[in-house]
Structure formats: structure tokens, C-alpha cells
Amino acid sequence: MTHFMKPHFLSEEQKSALEVSVGQLAIGDEKSRRIFIIALDYELTEYDKQHRRERQEPMADDSDDTLEKISAAADALSGMLQQLPENSFSKLSQQLSAADDFARQYNGRYLNALQDEIERVSAACQTKAAAPHGRGVGKREQHLVGMIINTYRECFEKEPLEDDRELFLTLLGDVFGICRLELKDTPEALVDASQKVNP
């Protein structure tokens, strides 16, 4: 695990939601749960840092300043949406719903889809095909899941894929949902894929 970076990925609302999730699943004791969430914050911070670094790498010699600016703005907006506090998230959802002439509801699924579109625009503005980036996202997710597996093992002193597989898969789904991470596959598929990369 990373130990030299101040965690900043999780909002207080997200930390509270994760505490509820781990508590309801009755994993570990209060102290180990608290340590797990702190360690998870470190790992998610590193994951987010790596994601942003890869998105900011030069993509081609025939760069376009205007498109690069749009890409940077899209990345910034995506990051802000990803770390949106729960009260702001609820307010935005309500305001979007209230302003819709067809009375459609704008919940977390809509904002996740919006974030996907924003990131697609960013990738398109980088003047290279988006397919290699898409494959990279999958590898990053697999690596992240591998780190979460190790964090679970260290904090709770259990083998998540042997002793607590179903609990761990439920927790992993909660982590992706609460943190509004890009989930390109099911938790079980990501766990299986991560084991091939990080056995």
C-alpha cells in the first residue's frame, strides 16, 4: 500500500457511507474497519493520480491547442463530479430533474453516464483513437481491485477470495458505487481478471 501520500480522494460523506457498508456486512471490528477505509483512501488517491497522469500524457505530434484545452476542462469537470459531496450531488440531481420538461429523473446513473460522456469527449480531443485508452482503463481497474484485495487481507487478516468471497464482492460493488468509479465490468469479473494480473 502507499503510505507517503496524504489521502484526499474520499469525501466525508463517502467515508461515512463506506463505514455503514462495512458495518452492515459485519466485516472486522470498528478499529480494523477504520484502518481499512483510511488505507482504501490512499489506494483510491493513487488510482486517481495515475488515471489523471495517463490522461495528461502527450497523445500526438499534431496536437490542437483548442482540443487540448477542451480535454483538460473535461478532465477537470469529470474529477469534480467524481468527488461531488453527497449534499451537492442530491441538489444537482433535484435541480436537473426539476428543469426537465419531460419530468425525467436525474439520479446517480445519469451522472455516471454523463461522466462517461465527458471522458469520451476528453479522449476524442486528444487526437488519438480512444480504443487503447479504453483498454488501459480496464487494466487500471484490475490493478485497483488487486490493491483492494491486498488492503482487505492486511486490515481484516482474512483471505477475501477464500474466506469472505461473497462479502468481498458485495463490498467491492459498494466501493465502486459510493465512490462513483468507472465500473466497466462486474465486481466478480474484475476480481477474476485482477487475479490473472496480480495472483
Side-chain angles (χ1 to χ4, degrees), residues 34-157:
R34 186 167 60 251
I35 294 173
F36 173 76
I37 292 172
I38 292 172
L40 180 63
D41 203 355
Y42 279 109
E43 302 298 1
L44 290 172
T45 299
E46 180 62 25
Y47 169 80
D48 187 56
K49 180 181 176 182
Q50 179 185 0
H51 176 69
R52 293 178 186 281
R53 183 170 57 244
E54 290 177 2
R55 296 295 292 273
Q56 292 170 1
E57 289 176 353
M59 296 299 290
D61 293 333
D62 58 342
S63 59
D64 183 311
D65 287 344
T66 301
L67 293 181
E68 287 181 357
K69 290 177 182 178
I70 292 174
S71 176
D75 283 343
L77 177 57
S78 176
M80 292 174 69
L81 286 174
Q82 192 174 66
Q83 299 187 51
L84 195 65
E86 196 63 37
N87 59 336
S88 299
F89 173 77
S90 298
K91 186 182 296 183
L92 177 59
S93 297
Q94 292 170 4
Q95 291 174 339
L96 286 170
S97 300
D100 192 298
D101 292 336
F102 298 97
R104 289 172 292 197
Q105 297 300 305
Y106 292 79
N107 53 23
R109 291 180 61 187
Y110 168 79
L111 291 181
N112 285 338
L114 174 62
Q115 191 169 340
D116 287 343
E117 285 301 297
I118 291 171
E119 295 194 356
R120 194 164 68 90
V121 169
S122 175
C125 288
Q126 293 175 11
T127 70
K128 271 193 175 181
H133 173 72
R135 289 195 294 272
V137 169
K139 290 180 181 178
R140 277 195 306 273
E141 286 181 335
Q142 293 167 20
H143 183 63
L144 174 64
V145 169
M147 289 193 296
I148 295 175
I149 289 172
N150 290 334
T151 301
Y152 187 104
R153 182 182 295 124
E154 291 178 13
C155 293
F156 300 123
E157 298 182 348

Side-chain angles (χ1 to χ4, degrees), residues 169-189:
L169 291 175
T170 301
L171 175 61
L172 186 61
D174 288 350
V175 168
F176 275 95
I178 291 169
C179 300
R180 303 190 198 101
L181 297 171
E182 301 172 17
L183 182 58
K184 301 299 182 183
D185 214 329
T186 65
E188 186 166 9

